[in-house]
Amino acid sequence: MSSIKNDSGIEIKEVYTQPSDMKELPGQFPYTRGVQPNMYRGRLWTMRQYAGFSSAEESNKRYHFLLQQGTTGLSVAFDLPTQIGFDSDHELSEGEVGKVGVAIDSLRDMETLFHGIELEKITTSMTINASASVLLAMYIAIAKKQGADLKKISGTIQNDILKEYAARGTYIYPPKPSMRIINDIFAFCSLEVPKWNTISISGYHIREAGSTAVQEIAFTLSNGKAYVQAAISNGLDINVFGERLSFFFNAHNDFFEEIAKFRAARRMWAEIMKDLGATNPKAMMLRFHTQTGGSTLTAQQPQNNIIRVALQAMAAVLGGTQSLHTNGFDEALSLPTEAAAGIALRTQQLIAYESGATNTVDPLGGSYFVEELTNQVEKEAWSYIEKIDAMGGSVSAIEKGYMQQEIADSSYQYQKAVESGEKVLVGVNKFTANEKHDTPLLRVDDSIRISQTEKLTQLKKERDNKAVIECLLKIEAAARGTENLMPLIVDAVEKYATLGEISDAMRKVFGEFKS
């Protein structure tokens, strides 16, 4: 690679280090300084804008807009009924269809969602957990229809059910059958879609629920450890499935703490995987996606959020993220408008191409402050993990309510600090101003449920219902036994069984989790 110089003509080294106290190099175990030796000099992070609302048709238009603006990866938001395995015509779906994401009831909707997008040429992240197996099956079915090589399609399903019990709540089945489904996905994808990241172990929602930065990585890495142990106990090879694990973190406003958090998390995960028996370097690397903090956005003076998002995005980049989503400044008021989504993407592009932050690896490595803060964050996070291990691991800690209580306590303390003025929020409890809200808002009409219901009615008239029933009975039988569910789910979605029907087939066997 040719040399890189700043605007003053000073050559920027690929990495800065002092052998006396900075012996570790980027791309080397335990990866504190980054998972690649040359980081963004070799390849920028994926600019993956999270989008999805209303119908598949409307979301498809937004995807094409983002791709035209320079997005390098898609990230799909699903509505709440889709997330918890209900079709749009289910009585519990009323009022929620298409509201916080796109409504997907069947393969037909998924075909519309990705119309005109070649899956071999794009990476796709899907924020889906309890019904991840069904949505992944639909994605695979589309790839097959496009004639794509399944060995080449790449992307990520979140598929992290433990944090749903701890922080978010969009679960369907109890923990044990949920973990079984996740292991089935691990095993299936390692053979059929080997470039697919089968889980994105998420701290994002733990942080959104009110945790501290330390709790975010401690609870997330502990959950990751539980998934790995479950996979090993089911006979899977840590050096194979370990390569396809990824993580999803939040970026909040404390600039240096966030950078230290990312660096500490990489180091800790490398040690965890090594202790669990990994010898493959790629299986020990913590690769992660970052999203700027939704809970930090304010409805008051919403344009201030543009600055907040920029600072958070810069922290993620200086912390070494592999993928990044930047929030729209209007998201405390509504789903992001096209204009806000455009500004959010431009924020990433400005950091990538104009800031100089990408010219060297780990720019803050060696900073007395950053190095000490990294060590302190790591020490406190290990303390939490040791407590969780003593309880029997993440599943037991969640069942006992430990993580939930710790998050709730942190959230309470934060809110107290805001209300007392000890924690300053610009435009909220300090530097306020009387202002009129004139920010354009994006609203999703309730009529979307009517149109989705009409599509479902038409679909059930046109498909081979006998074949659908046979597929559903096979899924139910497999759920009672040990057969891998994924091939049967793929077969069912190809016959146009709906998301709700497939979820219900497993509900009959697994039941539903009650908090």
Side-chain angles (χ1 to χ4, degrees), residues 304-332:
N304 292 346
N305 294 328
I306 297 173
I307 296 96
R308 289 187 179 100
V309 168
L311 287 168
Q312 293 165 6
M314 180 64 90
V317 169
L318 295 178
T321 193
Q322 279 63 66
S323 171
L324 179 61
H325 164 79
T326 33
N327 290 327
F329 73 89
D330 54 0
E331 289 190 55

Side-chain angles (χ1 to χ4, degrees), residues 36 38 45 70 131 146 152 196 200 206 211 266 287 295 319 341 385 390 403 459 465 482 484:
Q36 299 297 334
N38 59 354
W45 63 91
S131 52
Q146 289 184 357
K152 293 180 180 178
W196 195 268
S200 177
I206 290 171
S211 80
R266 270 195 299 273
R287 296 170 298 276
S295 62
I385 290 175
M403 288 189 194
L459 173 74
N465 285 298
T482 58
N484 193 306

Side-chain angles (χ1 to χ4, degrees), residues 161-169 171 175 206 209-211 215 219 223 384 388 391 393-412 513-515:
I161 203 64
L162 291 179
K163 66 95 175 51
E164 296 296 330
Y165 303 120
R168 192 161 174 266
Y171 40 70
I206 290 171
S211 80
Q215 289 169 338
F219 297 165
N223 287 348
Y384 272 111
I388 292 167
M391 294 178 193
S394 276
V395 175
S396 295
I398 289 167
E399 288 175 342
K400 292 173 183 176
Y402 173 71
M403 288 189 194
Q404 298 93 310
Q405 190 61 55
E406 287 292 314
I407 294 167
D409 290 346
S410 295
S411 179
Y412 174 68
F513 178 73
K514 304 297 182 185
S515 177

Side-chain angles (χ1 to χ4, degrees), residues 48 123-124 126 136 153-159 185-186 189 193-200 241-247 287:
R48 191 185 298 282
T123 67
T124 303
M126 295 190 281
L136 175 58
I153 67 165
S154 62
T156 305
I157 43 172
Q158 192 163 101
N159 201 27
I185 293 170
F186 285 179
C189 289
V193 278
K195 291 183 70 176
W196 195 268
N197 294 320
T198 50
I199 193 167
S200 177
F241 75 80
E243 287 192 31
R244 303 321 315 167
L245 305 178
S246 67
F247 288 79
R287 296 170 298 276

Side-chain angles (χ1 to χ4, degrees), residues 23 168 196 205 235 250 301 318 371 380 413 417 487 508:
K23 294 180 180 179
R168 192 161 174 266
W196 195 268
H205 305 95
N250 212 312
Q301 300 179 20
L318 295 178
E371 296 299 343
E380 292 187 26
Q413 293 302 323
K508 288 179 183 178

